[in-house]
Amino acid sequence: MDATIATLRRNSLDVAAARRRCLGYRRRILDISQQVGALHIAPAFSCTEITDILYNNLMRRETDGGYRDVFLMSKGHGCMIQYVILEEQGVLSRSDLDAYCKPNGRLGAHPDYETPGIAASTGSLGHGLGMATGQAYAEKLKNSDVLIYCVLSDGEFQEGSTWEAMMMAANLKLDNLIAFMDFNDFGGLERMSDGHPAFYPLVPKAESFGWEAVEVDGHDEAAMHEAVMARRGGRPMLLVCRTVKGKGISFMENVPIWHYRSPNKEEYIQGLKELASAPL
Amino acid sequence: MRNRFADTFYELGKADPRLCVVVADISPAGSIAKFRNEFPRRFVNTGVSEQIMIGMTAGMAQRGLKPFAYTIATFTLYRPFEMVRDDLCYQNLPVTVVGIGGGVTYSTLGATHHAQEDVAIASAIPNLSVVAPCDPSEVEAATRWCAAQDQGPVYLRLGKAGEPDLSKAALDPWVFGKVRRLREGRDVCILSYGPIMKRAFALAERFEASGKSAAIVSVHTLKPLDREGLARILQTYAHVVVIEECAPNGSLAMRVKELAWDTDVTCRIDAFTLKDAFIHCYGSHDDILDAHGLGVSELTARLGLQ
Ligand SMILES: Cc1ncc(C[n+]2csc(CCOP(=O)(O)OP(=O)(O)O)c2C)c(N)n1
């Protein structure tokens, strides 16, 4: 078995604990939404489980507790979920999050490379996979076993630059690169399947570009875990993760305005109620 | 500004079937949504794909249409830069590239969304006209001009929404390529453009408070620059202040100083631009302007006013 794949074997996943964590993250993001005028809630809720499984299960740690593998948030506007997880891990502090988007804070609506835990400055869509390809190649040159995990939105797969990276990563046989597509079928404006039917099918496109690709439920951590564990290797892998934009709060699910809007007091309370009664 | 652009475009679009709008996954403001419903084939959303947004507008113009490309300023100009340069400017096609959130308007979104060098970069490309209105009524005039002209490509740089009307008392009409006096004054002349014009007005008040009468001029057309009009100002006033939301290299400030040298004038010139730096902090538009050293009190101090 390929060494990089062998190092992927990990403790099995505690699905109930993951659900509890994700509810907590969504609650924390709702709380933060009450201190600023706007933040990308629905994009963060869409990739909550993806980000959770990476930080809390798939990514390996060094003996000092720091992460050995790399998490690169290509869909920069989804960074709120990354911030709250980094807060829980003690990489960012509570005061960092309290100062989110404020004049003396260091956290803005997009991740900034200077910040602890942030692998690249993103926010302009379609840059992440190129940088992740460079990072994965660098690890190869260094003969390291570090894995580069990259989370992209489906919208980013409308950018030509993402497909340039797809081709190059396959050319370089970067089996240390694993990308997760947060496939919620929404951009900022409309459903992709309505406006851009030629966007589909996704798995065969990625395969024809030389990637190993598989479609999974992006809110089902067990399914994502299994998919990564079943990886054949020898080339980069893409998980096309079926998700719901705004997942977890009924009135936000698949409703475009929640791409970039903070709930008012009533909506906030309603949201908290829904999270409180969500099945574990 | 966004809404006035949309209203004006809708009205013009009803009358001129050649007008089209191509967006890259950006929700169209107010009346553009109306335009989209009424003329669905003349509204194209390319998705998150800015290069094809610009490429398509070039092709549409080559076949006789009058397209406007429309998204956030960094994504209309920087992302598809070579398409703007080669497809639109090299071929000199009458396409309007609309950038919303010019300068550092999108304050909390960070540097990826700060078009802090947009005017300088756009001004460097041959054939590209650069227009940066300061308020909704200038937006309307500029949009009308863009829709009517067929001389070549234009970068139309807008703010976002809610800008005050600053040109109500203007002494001159809006004319493409001509500076425009917004307020009369004898001792000092303040040159500005775009949403930061609000700070030009604040500075003018500070000048008045210290007994100096300050004129304000909107340099809404950055390219072609009204060298004659600016030279007249440099000759008339003993003190000229430039305040703008653009990085220093290639700024209006730099070009005004160059013009002063070329025309042998000796007036005092104070130039205030954004810093040549990425700012790693957040907050409101005003907070970011302050972080760039453009706070009104800081400027007042730098000008030696109370
Ligand atoms: C290059 C670029 N173009 C446009 C934007 C503006 N923008 C921010 S988010 C977004 C689309 C959101 O859809 P998607 O990328 O699929 O993300 P998700 O649905 O997961 O939020 C757009 C167009 C951007 N950030 N970068």
Side-chain angles (χ1 to χ4, degrees):
Chain A
M1 186 188 290
D2 187 290
T4 28
I5 299 187
T7 55
L8 273 175
R9 300 279 175 220
R10 200 108 324 116
N11 295 337
S12 62
L13 179 76
D14 181 344
V15 173
R19 280 216 189 99
R20 269 194 305 277
R21 279 196 306 271
C22 289
L23 277 175
Y25 299 147
R26 288 193 169 92
R27 207 173 300 127
R28 178 79 176 111
I29 291 174
L30 275 187
D31 286 344
I32 293 165
S33 79
Q34 297 305 288
Q35 71 195 35
V36 290
L39 90 179
H40 297 96
I41 292 195
F45 285 6
S46 182
C47 60
T48 296
E49 283 76 17
I50 295 172
T51 311
D52 176 65
I53 195 176
L54 283 168
Y55 275 108
N56 288 311
N57 185 264
L58 292 174
M59 279 161 50
R60 295 159 305 165
R61 291 176 181 269
E62 304 283 11
T63 40
D64 68 359
Y67 283 103
R68 175 162 183 71
D69 296 327
V70 173
F71 178 97
L72 198 160
M73 184 61 116
S74 185
K75 52 169 276 190
H77 65 285
C79 63
M80 208 59 231
I81 180 61
Q82 190 184 7
Y83 291 166
V84 302
I85 293 180
L86 289 172
E87 176 191 29
E88 185 191 63
Q89 312 267 341
V91 177
L92 293 174
S93 68
R94 189 179 175 96
S95 60
D96 281 328
L97 275 91
D98 286 344
Y100 170 74
C101 280
K102 298 198 181 129
N104 297 317
R106 58 174 173 174
L107 301 181
H110 295 108
D112 189 353
Y113 185 50
E114 313 269 273
T115 316
I118 302 301
S121 291
T122 53
S124 177
L125 297 168
H127 290 244
L129 197 60
M131 289 190 275
T133 298
Q135 294 191 358
Y137 188 59
E139 296 305 325
K140 288 282 177 199
L141 291 186
K142 295 190 302 188
N143 288 319
S144 97
D145 71 344
V146 167
L147 296 172
I148 310 295
Y149 289 102
C150 182
V151 175
L152 299 102
S153 65
D154 44 9
E156 295 193 271
F157 282 82
Q158 295 187 310
E159 292 283 8
S161 55
T162 298
W163 293 100
E164 293 177 20
M166 289 289 285
M167 236 185 301
M168 202 56 211
N171 285 333
L172 294 169
K173 299 197 170 52
L174 296 177
D175 61 357
N176 56 345
L177 173 61
I178 305 181
F180 287 66
M181 182 202 297
D182 178 354
F183 166 39
N184 56 31
D185 196 35
F186 273 92
L189 183 51
E190 61 192 355
R191 259 192 194 281
M192 241 88 111
S193 44
D194 290 339
H196 297 97
F199 186 61
Y200 301 95
L202 295 168
V203 167
K205 270 199 189 72
E207 283 175 342
S208 69
F209 271 68
W211 284 54
E212 178 174 352
V214 55
E215 184 166 328
V216 288
D217 179 340
H219 299 300
D220 179 345
E221 295 201 20
M224 290 189 279
H225 188 262
E226 198 184 311
V228 174
M229 293 307 137
R231 186 168 169 239
R232 292 193 305 276
R235 47 200 172 140
M237 181 185 203
L238 175 69
L239 280 86
V240 176
C241 304
R242 258 180 288 106
T243 53
V244 175
K245 195 156 175 171
K247 175 74 176 179
I249 309 284
S250 61
F251 58 87
M252 291 186 185
E253 291 188 356
N254 296 327
V255 178
I257 52 159
W258 294 101
H259 174 70
Y260 184 62
R261 191 192 139 181
S262 281
N264 62 29
K265 192 86 205 163
E266 254 166 61
E267 293 159 339
Y268 164 68
I269 292 166
Q270 169 70 18
L272 284 183
K273 254 193 229 149
E274 289 193 16
L275 292 182
S277 60
L280 268 183
Chain B
M1 287 197 179
R2 234 172 23 196
N3 294 330
R4 185 67 68 88
F5 168 79
D7 292 345
T8 311
F9 184 86
Y10 172 69
E11 187 202 315
L12 297 167
K14 275 198 300 194
D16 185 347
R18 295 171 305 162
L19 289 178
C20 299
V21 58
V22 184
V23 308
D25 196 41
I26 239 28
S27 7
S31 305
I32 299 263
K34 219 158 52 172
F35 178 86
R36 180 189 192 186
N37 291 334
E38 281 178 43
F39 310 103
R41 283 161 51 83
R42 287 160 59 199
F43 178 98
V44 179
N45 171 28
T46 60
V48 194
S49 313
E50 291 79 10
Q51 301 183 82
I52 183 64
M53 171 183 73
I54 299 294
M56 273 189 74
T57 58
M60 290 160 79
Q62 284 169 325
R63 305 306 298 166
L65 298 179
K66 281 211 160 164
F68 280 52
Y70 179 95
T71 182
I72 296 172
T74 47
F75 309 133
T76 46
L77 192 60
Y78 301 169
R79 187 48 172 277
F81 183 73
E82 204 181 51
M83 282 72 188
V84 171
R85 179 184 179 273
D86 294 3
D87 304 357
L88 303 184
C89 298
Y90 182 34
Q91 306 189 94
N92 204 18
L93 298 170
V95 171
T96 302
V97 175
V98 183
I100 49 176
V104 295
T105 312
Y106 286 118
S107 53
T108 57
L109 299 186
T112 56
H113 286 60
H114 293 170
Q116 59 193 56
E117 340 72 342
D118 59 344
V119 164
I121 286 177
S123 299
I125 314 176
N127 289 341
L128 187 61
S129 298
V130 179
V131 179
C134 72
D135 72 352
S137 67
E138 285 203 349
V139 168
E140 177 169 347
T143 306
R144 288 182 184 282
W145 181 82
C146 291
Q149 67 91 24
D150 43 30
Q151 68 183 48
V154 187
Y155 175 56
L156 176 59
R157 184 231 215 198
L158 307 182
K160 50 177 192 186
E163 289 89 353
D165 233 310
L166 296 171
S167 62
K168 260 195 296 253
L171 298 130
D172 308 310
W174 189 93
V175 178
F176 171 77
K178 295 285 169 220
V179 294
R180 181 182 190 213
R181 289 171 302 159
L182 299 187
R183 167 190 158 127
E184 208 138 32
R186 285 181 317 276
D187 305 315
V188 191
C189 181
I190 306 174
L191 306 175
S192 190
Y193 58 88
I196 200 180
M197 185 64 84
K198 61 187 174 185
R199 297 213 163 177
F201 276 82
L203 275 187
E205 293 312 320
R206 301 293 178 101
F207 273 112
E208 297 289 339
S210 50
K212 289 191 175 144
S213 135
I216 298 177
V217 166
S218 168
V219 189
H220 51 76
T221 305
L222 282 308
K223 195 180 174 189
L225 196 63
D226 182 4
R227 283 174 65 93
E228 261 174 44
L230 288 170
R232 234 179 357 258
I233 289 167
L234 290 169
Q235 279 147 11
T236 310
Y237 289 89
H239 188 183
V240 170
V241 176
V242 184
I243 173 162
E244 66 185 312
E245 198 170 336
C246 179
N249 295 318
S251 60
L252 172 65
M254 198 179 252
R255 288 147 79 200
V256 166
K257 286 182 180 171
E258 178 194 32
L259 184 64
W261 174 266
D262 289 349
T263 53
D264 279 329
V265 298
T266 52
C267 68
R268 170 177 171 188
I269 299 177
D270 285 289
F272 304 119
T273 65
L274 297 178
K275 291 180 179 164
D276 178 19
F278 293 114
I279 298 285
H280 298 271
C281 67
Y282 306 93
S284 66
H285 184 216
D286 281 319
D287 290 328
I288 303 298
L289 291 177
D290 292 353
H292 269 281
L294 297 176
V296 175
S297 335
E298 185 174 340
L299 296 186
T300 323
R302 280 161 73 183
L303 287 164
L305 303 170
Q306 261 74 59

